[in-house]
Amino acid sequence: MLVTMNVMFLQAPKLFNNMKFYFVDDFVQAFKSDLLNLVKTTGGTISETKDQLLSSDHGGVELDQATYVVYNADLSICVDVEDEASIKAQRLAAMEGVAQECGSRVVGHTWILGSIVVCSLLPLTSRV
């Protein structure tokens, strides 16, 4: 059964084909490596720097449909519950500034994970 699932996964169209991701924000390095590997495995490409994102060729796909600025949607264990909404809003505002500069959209890392789980791109209206 597992072999059949792996073969089906390899033959299926890649979920993040023609999509580029630029990871900004604080991620635990091992977790970020796992996220990068998931994006690459599912057909996405990674921009290591904002300059690389700005200067890259997007293969004829409109920039705002092909590129995503990814931020860490999780909060530190040290954050007080009262500050959570404020910190999330600050993070999102900072990422939206980067995305606007690059002509990209902002997604939390959980959007990537959720899209992979359901094998379909989740709506971008969700900031989780």
Side-chain angles (χ1 to χ4, degrees), residues 19-23 53 63-70 104-107 111 121 124:
M19 300 171 91
K20 185 167 282 199
F21 296 86
Y22 173 52
F23 285 75
L53 181 65
L63 187 59
D64 67 343
Q65 293 179 348
T67 61
Y68 298 86
V69 173
V70 182
S104 304
R105 295 183 182 195
V106 176
V107 294
W111 178 84
L121 298 178
L124 291 175

PDB file of all heavy atoms in Angstrom, residues 19-23 53 63-70 104-107 111 121 124:
ATOM      1  N   MET A  19       5.397  28.005  -8.581  1.00  0.00           N
ATOM      2  CA  MET A  19       5.269  28.863  -7.406  1.00  0.00           C
ATOM      3  C   MET A  19       6.632  29.018  -6.753  1.00  0.00           C
ATOM      4  O   MET A  19       7.397  28.057  -6.668  1.00  0.00           O
ATOM      5  CB  MET A  19       4.264  28.275  -6.417  1.00  0.00           C
ATOM      6  CG  MET A  19       2.879  28.117  -6.997  1.00  0.00           C
ATOM      7  SD  MET A  19       1.789  27.185  -5.918  1.00  0.00           S
ATOM      8  CE  MET A  19       1.104  28.535  -4.980  1.00  0.00           C
ATOM      9  N   LYS A  20       6.915  30.221  -6.325  1.00  0.00           N
ATOM     10  CA  LYS A  20       8.183  30.531  -5.667  1.00  0.00           C
ATOM     11  C   LYS A  20       7.889  31.013  -4.253  1.00  0.00           C
ATOM     12  O   LYS A  20       6.931  31.748  -4.031  1.00  0.00           O
ATOM     13  CB  LYS A  20       8.921  31.615  -6.445  1.00  0.00           C
ATOM     14  CG  LYS A  20      10.301  31.898  -5.898  1.00  0.00           C
ATOM     15  CD  LYS A  20      11.096  32.710  -6.857  1.00  0.00           C
ATOM     16  CE  LYS A  20      11.558  31.751  -7.912  1.00  0.00           C
ATOM     17  NZ  LYS A  20      12.667  32.192  -8.694  1.00  0.00           N
ATOM     18  N   PHE A  21       8.717  30.593  -3.313  1.00  0.00           N
ATOM     19  CA  PHE A  21       8.526  30.913  -1.902  1.00  0.00           C
ATOM     20  C   PHE A  21       9.773  31.575  -1.338  1.00  0.00           C
ATOM     21  O   PHE A  21      10.896  31.140  -1.581  1.00  0.00           O
ATOM     22  CB  PHE A  21       8.220  29.634  -1.113  1.00  0.00           C
ATOM     23  CG  PHE A  21       6.936  28.980  -1.526  1.00  0.00           C
ATOM     24  CD1 PHE A  21       6.906  28.085  -2.590  1.00  0.00           C
ATOM     25  CD2 PHE A  21       5.752  29.269  -0.881  1.00  0.00           C
ATOM     26  CE1 PHE A  21       5.729  27.491  -2.986  1.00  0.00           C
ATOM     27  CE2 PHE A  21       4.563  28.679  -1.272  1.00  0.00           C
ATOM     28  CZ  PHE A  21       4.548  27.785  -2.332  1.00  0.00           C
ATOM     29  N   TYR A  22       9.541  32.624  -0.576  1.00  0.00           N
ATOM     30  CA  TYR A  22      10.617  33.339   0.118  1.00  0.00           C
ATOM     31  C   TYR A  22      10.277  33.321   1.603  1.00  0.00           C
ATOM     32  O   TYR A  22       9.278  33.896   2.027  1.00  0.00           O
ATOM     33  CB  TYR A  22      10.707  34.766  -0.415  1.00  0.00           C
ATOM     34  CG  TYR A  22      11.671  35.662   0.321  1.00  0.00           C
ATOM     35  CD1 TYR A  22      12.989  35.285   0.536  1.00  0.00           C
ATOM     36  CD2 TYR A  22      11.258  36.902   0.793  1.00  0.00           C
ATOM     37  CE1 TYR A  22      13.874  36.110   1.196  1.00  0.00           C
ATOM     38  CE2 TYR A  22      12.139  37.742   1.453  1.00  0.00           C
ATOM     39  CZ  TYR A  22      13.442  37.338   1.652  1.00  0.00           C
ATOM     40  OH  TYR A  22      14.324  38.162   2.318  1.00  0.00           O
ATOM     41  N   PHE A  23      11.065  32.612   2.393  1.00  0.00           N
ATOM     42  CA  PHE A  23      10.814  32.451   3.819  1.00  0.00           C
ATOM     43  C   PHE A  23      11.466  33.588   4.598  1.00  0.00           C
ATOM     44  O   PHE A  23      12.674  33.778   4.534  1.00  0.00           O
ATOM     45  CB  PHE A  23      11.353  31.102   4.307  1.00  0.00           C
ATOM     46  CG  PHE A  23      10.498  29.939   3.896  1.00  0.00           C
ATOM     47  CD1 PHE A  23      10.514  29.472   2.589  1.00  0.00           C
ATOM     48  CD2 PHE A  23       9.659  29.326   4.814  1.00  0.00           C
ATOM     49  CE1 PHE A  23       9.724  28.410   2.204  1.00  0.00           C
ATOM     50  CE2 PHE A  23       8.861  28.253   4.431  1.00  0.00           C
ATOM     51  CZ  PHE A  23       8.897  27.803   3.133  1.00  0.00           C
ATOM     52  N   LEU A  53      14.554  37.015  -5.302  1.00  0.00           N
ATOM     53  CA  LEU A  53      13.128  36.983  -5.618  1.00  0.00           C
ATOM     54  C   LEU A  53      12.771  38.089  -6.604  1.00  0.00           C
ATOM     55  O   LEU A  53      12.051  37.869  -7.562  1.00  0.00           O
ATOM     56  CB  LEU A  53      12.305  37.140  -4.342  1.00  0.00           C
ATOM     57  CG  LEU A  53      10.795  37.109  -4.483  1.00  0.00           C
ATOM     58  CD1 LEU A  53      10.330  35.747  -4.955  1.00  0.00           C
ATOM     59  CD2 LEU A  53      10.141  37.467  -3.166  1.00  0.00           C
ATOM     60  N   LEU A  63       3.558  37.684 -11.473  1.00  0.00           N
ATOM     61  CA  LEU A  63       4.335  37.675 -10.244  1.00  0.00           C
ATOM     62  C   LEU A  63       3.471  37.445  -9.009  1.00  0.00           C
ATOM     63  O   LEU A  63       3.781  36.635  -8.168  1.00  0.00           O
ATOM     64  CB  LEU A  63       5.111  38.994 -10.118  1.00  0.00           C
ATOM     65  CG  LEU A  63       6.099  39.103  -8.974  1.00  0.00           C
ATOM     66  CD1 LEU A  63       7.149  38.008  -9.088  1.00  0.00           C
ATOM     67  CD2 LEU A  63       6.752  40.458  -8.970  1.00  0.00           C
ATOM     68  N   ASP A  64       2.340  38.150  -8.899  1.00  0.00           N
ATOM     69  CA  ASP A  64       1.557  38.025  -7.673  1.00  0.00           C
ATOM     70  C   ASP A  64       0.848  36.674  -7.568  1.00  0.00           C
ATOM     71  O   ASP A  64       0.342  36.328  -6.523  1.00  0.00           O
ATOM     72  CB  ASP A  64       0.571  39.182  -7.518  1.00  0.00           C
ATOM     73  CG  ASP A  64      -0.518  39.174  -8.566  1.00  0.00           C
ATOM     74  OD1 ASP A  64      -0.367  38.495  -9.589  1.00  0.00           O
ATOM     75  OD2 ASP A  64      -1.523  39.865  -8.364  1.00  0.00           O
ATOM     76  N   GLN A  65       0.790  35.919  -8.639  1.00  0.00           N
ATOM     77  CA  GLN A  65       0.191  34.592  -8.583  1.00  0.00           C
ATOM     78  C   GLN A  65       1.244  33.512  -8.355  1.00  0.00           C
ATOM     79  O   GLN A  65       0.906  32.397  -8.045  1.00  0.00           O
ATOM     80  CB  GLN A  65      -0.553  34.305  -9.883  1.00  0.00           C
ATOM     81  CG  GLN A  65      -1.755  35.188 -10.078  1.00  0.00           C
ATOM     82  CD  GLN A  65      -2.460  34.895 -11.379  1.00  0.00           C
ATOM     83  OE1 GLN A  65      -1.956  34.195 -12.243  1.00  0.00           O
ATOM     84  NE2 GLN A  65      -3.644  35.447 -11.534  1.00  0.00           N
ATOM     85  N   ALA A  66       2.516  33.865  -8.533  1.00  0.00           N
ATOM     86  CA  ALA A  66       3.560  32.851  -8.500  1.00  0.00           C
ATOM     87  C   ALA A  66       4.451  32.917  -7.269  1.00  0.00           C
ATOM     88  O   ALA A  66       5.147  31.973  -6.989  1.00  0.00           O
ATOM     89  CB  ALA A  66       4.438  32.968  -9.751  1.00  0.00           C
ATOM     90  N   THR A  67       4.459  34.029  -6.547  1.00  0.00           N
ATOM     91  CA  THR A  67       5.402  34.170  -5.448  1.00  0.00           C
ATOM     92  C   THR A  67       4.710  34.428  -4.119  1.00  0.00           C
ATOM     93  O   THR A  67       3.700  35.130  -4.061  1.00  0.00           O
ATOM     94  CB  THR A  67       6.411  35.307  -5.723  1.00  0.00           C
ATOM     95  OG1 THR A  67       5.693  36.525  -5.861  1.00  0.00           O
ATOM     96  CG2 THR A  67       7.220  35.031  -6.964  1.00  0.00           C
ATOM     97  N   TYR A  68       5.291  33.847  -3.095  1.00  0.00           N
ATOM     98  CA  TYR A  68       4.712  33.931  -1.760  1.00  0.00           C
ATOM     99  C   TYR A  68       5.791  34.224  -0.737  1.00  0.00           C
ATOM    100  O   TYR A  68       6.834  33.577  -0.731  1.00  0.00           O
ATOM    101  CB  TYR A  68       4.007  32.623  -1.398  1.00  0.00           C
ATOM    102  CG  TYR A  68       2.867  32.320  -2.329  1.00  0.00           C
ATOM    103  CD1 TYR A  68       3.084  31.639  -3.526  1.00  0.00           C
ATOM    104  CD2 TYR A  68       1.589  32.764  -2.051  1.00  0.00           C
ATOM    105  CE1 TYR A  68       2.047  31.405  -4.407  1.00  0.00           C
ATOM    106  CE2 TYR A  68       0.534  32.524  -2.923  1.00  0.00           C
ATOM    107  CZ  TYR A  68       0.780  31.848  -4.105  1.00  0.00           C
ATOM    108  OH  TYR A  68      -0.248  31.614  -4.973  1.00  0.00           O
ATOM    109  N   VAL A  69       5.521  35.190   0.122  1.00  0.00           N
ATOM    110  CA  VAL A  69       6.378  35.471   1.267  1.00  0.00           C
ATOM    111  C   VAL A  69       5.804  34.670   2.420  1.00  0.00           C
ATOM    112  O   VAL A  69       4.631  34.812   2.768  1.00  0.00           O
ATOM    113  CB  VAL A  69       6.395  36.979   1.598  1.00  0.00           C
ATOM    114  CG1 VAL A  69       7.142  37.238   2.894  1.00  0.00           C
ATOM    115  CG2 VAL A  69       7.014  37.766   0.447  1.00  0.00           C
ATOM    116  N   VAL A  70       6.621  33.808   2.993  1.00  0.00           N
ATOM    117  CA  VAL A  70       6.160  32.893   4.044  1.00  0.00           C
ATOM    118  C   VAL A  70       6.700  33.362   5.387  1.00  0.00           C
ATOM    119  O   VAL A  70       7.895  33.595   5.540  1.00  0.00           O
ATOM    120  CB  VAL A  70       6.643  31.453   3.775  1.00  0.00           C
ATOM    121  CG1 VAL A  70       6.109  30.498   4.839  1.00  0.00           C
ATOM    122  CG2 VAL A  70       6.246  30.999   2.373  1.00  0.00           C
ATOM    123  N   SER A 104       4.376  40.152  -4.179  1.00  0.00           N
ATOM    124  CA  SER A 104       4.023  38.791  -3.780  1.00  0.00           C
ATOM    125  C   SER A 104       2.826  38.795  -2.848  1.00  0.00           C
ATOM    126  O   SER A 104       2.314  39.842  -2.485  1.00  0.00           O
ATOM    127  CB  SER A 104       5.204  38.139  -3.064  1.00  0.00           C
ATOM    128  OG  SER A 104       6.348  38.151  -3.860  1.00  0.00           O
ATOM    129  N   ARG A 105       2.437  37.603  -2.450  1.00  0.00           N
ATOM    130  CA  ARG A 105       1.385  37.427  -1.446  1.00  0.00           C
ATOM    131  C   ARG A 105       2.009  36.869  -0.180  1.00  0.00           C
ATOM    132  O   ARG A 105       3.037  36.211  -0.217  1.00  0.00           O
ATOM    133  CB  ARG A 105       0.323  36.459  -1.950  1.00  0.00           C
ATOM    134  CG  ARG A 105      -0.409  37.018  -3.151  1.00  0.00           C
ATOM    135  CD  ARG A 105      -1.489  36.085  -3.583  1.00  0.00           C
ATOM    136  NE  ARG A 105      -2.132  36.640  -4.761  1.00  0.00           N
ATOM    137  CZ  ARG A 105      -3.277  36.229  -5.213  1.00  0.00           C
ATOM    138  NH1 ARG A 105      -3.917  35.258  -4.619  1.00  0.00           N
ATOM    139  NH2 ARG A 105      -3.810  36.770  -6.284  1.00  0.00           N
ATOM    140  N   VAL A 106       1.339  37.107   0.934  1.00  0.00           N
ATOM    141  CA  VAL A 106       1.818  36.638   2.232  1.00  0.00           C
ATOM    142  C   VAL A 106       1.036  35.388   2.636  1.00  0.00           C
ATOM    143  O   VAL A 106      -0.188  35.363   2.513  1.00  0.00           O
ATOM    144  CB  VAL A 106       1.621  37.718   3.316  1.00  0.00           C
ATOM    145  CG1 VAL A 106       2.024  37.190   4.685  1.00  0.00           C
ATOM    146  CG2 VAL A 106       2.399  38.972   2.971  1.00  0.00           C
ATOM    147  N   VAL A 107       1.758  34.384   3.103  1.00  0.00           N
ATOM    148  CA  VAL A 107       1.119  33.200   3.674  1.00  0.00           C
ATOM    149  C   VAL A 107       1.885  32.778   4.918  1.00  0.00           C
ATOM    150  O   VAL A 107       3.104  32.942   4.990  1.00  0.00           O
ATOM    151  CB  VAL A 107       1.057  32.006   2.680  1.00  0.00           C
ATOM    152  CG1 VAL A 107       0.161  32.318   1.505  1.00  0.00           C
ATOM    153  CG2 VAL A 107       2.429  31.586   2.211  1.00  0.00           C
ATOM    154  N   TRP A 111      -0.229  27.587   6.009  1.00  0.00           N
ATOM    155  CA  TRP A 111      -0.931  27.497   4.727  1.00  0.00           C
ATOM    156  C   TRP A 111      -0.263  26.428   3.858  1.00  0.00           C
ATOM    157  O   TRP A 111      -0.940  25.639   3.191  1.00  0.00           O
ATOM    158  CB  TRP A 111      -0.935  28.854   4.026  1.00  0.00           C
ATOM    159  CG  TRP A 111      -1.601  28.834   2.688  1.00  0.00           C
ATOM    160  CD1 TRP A 111      -2.936  28.959   2.438  1.00  0.00           C
ATOM    161  CD2 TRP A 111      -0.971  28.674   1.407  1.00  0.00           C
ATOM    162  NE1 TRP A 111      -3.172  28.883   1.079  1.00  0.00           N
ATOM    163  CE2 TRP A 111      -1.978  28.710   0.425  1.00  0.00           C
ATOM    164  CE3 TRP A 111       0.351  28.510   0.998  1.00  0.00           C
ATOM    165  CZ2 TRP A 111      -1.715  28.587  -0.940  1.00  0.00           C
ATOM    166  CZ3 TRP A 111       0.614  28.387  -0.357  1.00  0.00           C
ATOM    167  CH2 TRP A 111      -0.410  28.430  -1.306  1.00  0.00           C
ATOM    168  N   LEU A 121      -4.501  23.695  -2.996  1.00  0.00           N
ATOM    169  CA  LEU A 121      -4.155  24.991  -2.435  1.00  0.00           C
ATOM    170  C   LEU A 121      -5.323  25.524  -1.614  1.00  0.00           C
ATOM    171  O   LEU A 121      -6.447  25.605  -2.104  1.00  0.00           O
ATOM    172  CB  LEU A 121      -3.808  25.986  -3.540  1.00  0.00           C
ATOM    173  CG  LEU A 121      -2.593  25.613  -4.393  1.00  0.00           C
ATOM    174  CD1 LEU A 121      -2.389  26.663  -5.470  1.00  0.00           C
ATOM    175  CD2 LEU A 121      -1.352  25.450  -3.550  1.00  0.00           C
ATOM    176  N   LEU A 124      -6.391  31.819  -0.008  1.00  0.00           N
ATOM    177  CA  LEU A 124      -5.409  32.749   0.534  1.00  0.00           C
ATOM    178  C   LEU A 124      -6.014  33.738   1.515  1.00  0.00           C
ATOM    179  O   LEU A 124      -5.293  34.524   2.108  1.00  0.00           O
ATOM    180  CB  LEU A 124      -4.718  33.509  -0.599  1.00  0.00           C
ATOM    181  CG  LEU A 124      -3.806  32.645  -1.450  1.00  0.00           C
ATOM    182  CD1 LEU A 124      -3.267  33.448  -2.627  1.00  0.00           C
ATOM    183  CD2 LEU A 124      -2.671  32.079  -0.632  1.00  0.00           C
TER     184      LEU A 124
END
